[in-house]
Amino acid sequence: KNNIKGERQKSNQSLSDVSSLLRIRRDYLKAIENGSLDSIPGTTYAIGFIKSYSNYLGIDPEGFVYLSLGDRLAENSAQDVD
């Protein structure tokens, strides 16, 4: 379950605060929290943003990347084989 929004709220930080600190667009952070990652262009960028955000909040970044992007990573792996 995606608990990154709850972790941010527990730390009393707004999306705008985190966005400024991590230099990741607020819209992308919101997409990560909502699990709507299609709005983040490029899987590589999405992985980097998720890792930065989850690391900042003290959440295991690797586990969260796979939890968040599992389908997208599987699609890319299948395309790489071609």
Side-chain angles (χ1 to χ4, degrees):
K1 177 93 174 96
N2 181 344
N3 65 349
I4 202 161
K5 182 176 183 178
E7 289 299 318
R8 176 184 55 79
Q9 290 172 332
K10 278 198 295 191
S11 68
N12 291 318
Q13 295 181 72
S14 71
L15 273 176
S16 296
D17 292 340
V18 177
S19 173
S20 295
L21 187 71
L22 297 180
R23 299 182 185 271
I24 299 172
R25 285 178 44 181
R26 186 180 181 280
D27 293 344
Y28 293 162
L29 295 177
K30 193 171 186 175
I32 292 168
E33 288 187 351
N34 294 331
S36 54
L37 300 171
D38 289 341
S39 62
I40 301 174
T43 302
T44 304
Y45 285 108
I47 290 170
F49 294 158
I50 291 168
K51 282 184 176 181
S52 293
Y53 193 17
S54 59
N55 233 347
Y56 174 71
L57 294 174
I59 298 170
D60 171 42
E62 296 302 323
F64 195 72
V65 165
Y66 286 104
L67 182 67
S68 301
L69 284 174
D71 294 340
R72 198 158 158 182
L73 293 172
E75 274 178 28
N76 284 352
S77 293
Q79 289 174 1
D80 289 344
V81 173
D82 293 340

